[in-house]
Every structure is written in C-alpha cells, then in structure tokens.
C-alpha cells in the first residue's frame, strides 16, 4: 500500500510505556527501538515511562495519558503474555471504549512469519479510549519491530492510502 506524497504528513504525539518488573530505562531495548522508530518517522515522543506489572499502576498511567491533550496515541511494550504477571491486556480492557481486534490478529500473523507458532503466546491488542489510540505490544525487541514496521508505521502515517488511523482521529469522539 502506498504513501501518497501529495498529502501532508501529520506528526502524532505518542507516549511510550514499558511494562516490566525487571527493566529500567537503561536496559529497555524494546522501548529504545520504539522511541527510535517513532522519532525517525517524524512523530513526537510525548512521554516515556516504565511501570511495574501492576494492573492498577498501568491503568493509572493510561488514564493520565488519555486525559492529556498532548498525547494522541499510547504504545505499550511488555505484559502481553500468558503468565500470572502479564496484565497489560486486562489494563487496556479497563480503559477502552472500543477494541481494535484486527490489530492483534494482524500482529500475530506477521509475528508467525518470524517466530512460528510461538506467536499464539502473545495477547497483543489495541483499543480506542476517550479519543486516544492504545496499542499493546509484547516486550521483545523483535516483536516491537514487527509491530511498528509491519503495522504502526503505515497506520500512523497520515499519507498512507487507502486509509489510516490518523485521518480518523478528529472523529474518534463523535456521538
């Protein structure tokens, strides 16, 4: 699918959340990979944080960013597996207005080509919450690269045709 160079590029203000009990900013290779891709694409890294695998803390952080007019989109990395500590999808479920099921489906299809059937262990998901897009990615560097390069780079580019998430932003709060 092509980029229509005749259309203006609109930078998206993206907040980045790493969910981890074991990583700080200096060890956050997945977060670094996403931050680099966000900025290289011409978007604005509005904020970057790390939260523990704690549903209440994740929900509080998401609410703060959803309510922040300087954040259009949130991308999380980590906490999407199936272990007892993995609670990022449950946190999204607490804040979402609308799920975007195709995101997780497409992510797993792309991921299958890299890691085979191990992709079924991912609960990558996405939603819209009070006019803010939220994408929850697995914590591995390979997974965040697959998600950005294969989905988000084009869907967060206002020039991508035939359609993209950016052109829908003004209408997300319609009633």
């Amino acid at each position: 699918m092509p980029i229509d160079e005749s259309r203006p590029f609109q930078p998206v203000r993206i907040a980045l959340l790493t969910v981890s009990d074991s990583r700080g900013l200096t060890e956050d290779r997945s977060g670094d990979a996403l931050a680099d891709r966000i900025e290289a694409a011409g978007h604005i890294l509005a904020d970057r944080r790390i939260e523990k695998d704690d549903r209440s803390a994740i929900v509080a952080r998401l609410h703060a960013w959803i309510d922040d007019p300087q954040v259009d989109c949130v991308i999380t990395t980590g906490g999407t597996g199936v272990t007892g500590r993995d609670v990022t999808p449950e946190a999204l479920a607490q804040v979402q207005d609308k799920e975007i099921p195709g995101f997780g489906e497409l992510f797993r299809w792309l991921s299958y080509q890299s890691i085979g059937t191990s992709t079924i262990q991912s609960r990558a998901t996405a939603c819209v919450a009070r006019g803010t897009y939220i994408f929850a990615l697995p914590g591995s560097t390979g997974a965040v690269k697959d998600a950005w390069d294969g989905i988000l780079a084009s869907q967060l580019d206002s020039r991508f045709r035939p359609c993209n998430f950016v052109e829908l932003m003004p209408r997300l709060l319609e009633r």
Side-chain angles (χ1 to χ4, degrees):
M1 296 290 148
I3 297 292
D4 181 349
E5 298 291 345
S6 70
R7 295 171 59 96
F9 176 79
Q10 296 174 285
V12 177
R13 297 169 300 208
I14 302 171
L16 177 55
L17 176 64
T18 297
V19 177
S20 177
D21 285 336
S22 60
R23 282 183 274 172
L25 283 176
T26 57
E27 303 88 22
D28 184 16
R29 292 184 309 125
S30 297
D32 290 343
L34 276 171
D36 291 346
R37 280 167 165 73
I38 289 166
E39 291 176 335
H43 299 297
I44 299 161
L45 185 60
D47 199 359
R48 182 174 175 188
R49 303 286 177 102
I50 292 183
E51 292 288 350
K52 300 280 186 209
D53 290 281
D54 176 273
R55 188 186 326 189
S56 297
I58 298 166
V59 167
R61 169 62 41 215
L62 293 175
H63 277 305
W65 280 337
I66 292 163
D67 291 338
D68 184 341
Q70 296 305 307
V71 174
D72 302 313
C73 173
V74 175
I75 302 175
T76 74
T77 175
T80 63
V82 296
T83 72
R85 299 287 299 152
D86 294 320
V87 296
T88 303
E90 288 77 13
L92 262 68
Q94 280 187 243
V95 302
Q96 76 181 20
D97 297 320
K98 292 186 178 191
E99 185 179 11
I100 307 171
F103 176 81
E105 295 162 1
L106 180 54
F107 170 79
R108 283 179 284 281
W109 179 80
L110 291 169
S111 177
Y112 177 78
Q113 295 167 56
S114 300
I115 63 170
T117 60
S118 296
T119 193
I120 65 170
Q121 294 180 28
S122 167
R123 297 185 303 139
T125 189
C127 68
V128 177
R130 297 193 309 278
T132 301
Y133 289 113
I134 306 174
F135 303 95
L137 313 179
S140 76
T141 304
V144 300
K145 289 177 180 178
D146 286 347
W148 181 269
D149 298 346
I151 306 170
L152 295 174
S154 57
Q155 281 298 299
L156 293 177
D157 190 323
S158 56
R159 303 165 301 168
F160 183 77
R161 307 307 312 142
C163 57
N164 59 76
F165 284 134
V166 180
E167 64 192 357
L168 299 176
M169 288 173 142
R171 299 180 53 208
L172 292 177
L173 295 174
E174 285 179 343
R175 294 279 173 219

